[in-house]
């Protein structure tokens, strides 16, 4: 009998699945037996990661998608359903930050650009997944990848923090509305994670000195640290777990 974390026959969508946390999530899901549709804007990177993950013996689909564009998201779902047949879990991970401007100098265009990629993208992705799950019946799992910035202050990152806090609120509200359809919705809040996107910032000695001492684990998080949470939230093991936020930060917030 399959265990509660066995994802054989399961189909997952991971946006931004070609790098960083998204890649770690996609790899963990594939290792657990899931077929995975990786969405990202870079076709070459998508294909490379899909080829790497195919060694786990499941179907890996790479799809070019800009999650801030509704038509692109719609097309990505059409292709995913054509190729893989269904979607059982959806991880809205695609996003990025921008710390270039102080709050008083930030333009509305800068603010909207980050909101569009991070929050609009999560809205469009999770909405598309929810529509499919309701239409086919049988429920599913929606997961928004937020950030500690959703609950901690972030200088020069008001747009990013607002977007990530929005993802937390979005998944909570989805949990309430969609439970009757058997759909769970949760958020994951990463802390200080070492990825290609954070490589430049983590190279700063002042940041290392100020932040690492506040992390009880005394190390940066890695994409592989999200495997357990992702597999749990996708699997039947989390059948009664919804409307929650899982903080993966090595203890940073409680220290």
């Amino acid at each position: 009998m399959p265990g509660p974390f066995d994802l054989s026959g399961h189909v997952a969508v991971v946006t931004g699945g070609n790098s960083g946390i998204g890649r770690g999530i996609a790899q963990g899901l594939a290792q657990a037996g899931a077929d995975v549709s990786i969405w990202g804007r870079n076709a070459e990177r998508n294909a490379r990661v899909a080829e790497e993950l195919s060694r786990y013996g499941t179907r890996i689909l790479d799809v070019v998608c800009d999650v801030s564009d509704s038509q692109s998201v719609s097309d990505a779902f059409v292709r995913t359903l054509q190729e893989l047949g269904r979607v059982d879990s959806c991880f809205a991970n695609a996003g990025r930050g921008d710390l270039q401007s102080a709050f008083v100098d930030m333009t509305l265009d800068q603010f909207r650009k980050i909101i569009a990629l991070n929050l609009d993208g999560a809205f469009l992705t999770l909405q598309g997944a929810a529509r499919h799950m309701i239409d086919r019946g049988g429920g599913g799992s929606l997961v928004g990848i937020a950030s500690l910035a959703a609950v901690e202050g972030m200088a020069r990152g008001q747009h990013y923090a607002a977007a990530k806090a929005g993802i937390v609120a979005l998944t909570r509200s989805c949990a309430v509305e969609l439970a009757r359809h058997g759909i769970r919705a949760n958020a994951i809040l990463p802390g200080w994670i070492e990825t290609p996107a954070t490589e430049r910032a983590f190279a700063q000695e002042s940041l290392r000195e100020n932040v690492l001492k506040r992390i009880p684990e005394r190390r940066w998080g890695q994409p592989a640290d999200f495997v357990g949470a992702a597999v749990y939230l996708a699997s039947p093991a989390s059948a009664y777990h919804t409307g929650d936020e899982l903080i993966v930060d090595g203890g940073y917030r409680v220290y």
Side-chain angles (χ1 to χ4, degrees):
M1 180 178 295
F5 298 100
D6 181 12
L7 295 181
S8 299
H10 184 103
V11 178
V13 166
V14 183
T15 70
N18 61 20
S19 183
I21 293 172
R23 187 188 184 287
I25 289 172
Q27 181 173 344
L29 296 170
Q31 286 177 310
D35 298 326
V36 184
S37 182
I38 295 170
W39 297 7
R41 292 188 292 184
N42 187 309
E44 182 179 348
R45 192 183 300 161
N46 290 351
R48 183 169 63 250
V49 173
E51 183 177 1
E52 292 172 358
L53 298 189
S54 64
R55 71 179 185 270
Y56 296 112
T58 64
R59 295 179 295 171
I60 308 296
L61 179 67
D62 58 289
V63 180
V64 174
C65 179
D66 176 358
V67 297
S68 66
D69 180 82
S70 61
Q71 188 60 54
S72 184
V73 171
S74 179
D75 292 343
F77 269 115
V78 168
R79 185 168 172 222
T80 297
L81 294 174
Q82 286 176 340
E83 298 283 341
L84 300 181
R86 58 187 289 134
V87 173
D88 298 292
S89 64
C90 181
F91 292 78
N93 166 76
R96 69 175 180 85
D98 177 5
L99 303 179
Q100 295 182 5
S101 299
F103 179 62
V104 294
D105 299 320
M106 190 180 295
T107 67
L108 183 57
D109 183 63
Q110 286 177 303
F111 186 87
R112 286 176 171 168
K113 189 173 182 179
I114 295 300
I115 292 291
L117 177 58
N118 291 279
L119 183 54
D120 293 5
F123 163 74
L124 292 170
T125 303
L126 297 179
Q127 183 186 61
R131 286 172 173 169
H132 161 70
M133 291 171 183
I134 291 171
D135 287 345
R136 69 157 167 75
S141 177
L142 306 178
V143 183
I145 308 303
S147 167
L148 271 188
V151 292
E152 299 258 346
M154 186 177 187
R156 305 173 75 92
Q158 289 82 4
H159 42 7
Y160 181 75
K164 293 303 188 179
I167 290 175
V168 171
L170 176 67
T171 54
R172 284 179 178 173
S173 296
C174 285
V176 174
E177 181 176 340
L178 302 177
R180 66 180 180 273
H181 299 289
I183 299 172
R184 311 183 303 282
N186 295 282
I188 297 176
L189 279 61
W192 296 88
I193 313 301
E194 194 169 31
T195 70
T198 59
E199 183 178 8
R200 193 172 180 181
F202 285 12
Q204 300 175 23
E205 185 176 350
S206 59
L207 185 142
R208 293 198 305 271
E209 290 180 354
N210 291 328
V211 175
L212 276 176
K213 65 184 179 183
R214 279 197 57 191
I215 302 176
E217 292 272 353
R218 293 296 188 269
R219 67 172 177 86
W220 303 122
Q222 301 296 323
D225 291 319
F226 294 85
V227 168
V231 172
Y232 167 70
L233 290 176
S235 75
S238 63
Y240 200 58
H241 195 161
T242 193
D244 197 9
E245 297 84 50
L246 277 65
I247 296 178
V248 183
D249 69 347
Y252 177 87
R253 192 157 190 252
V254 298
Y255 188 63

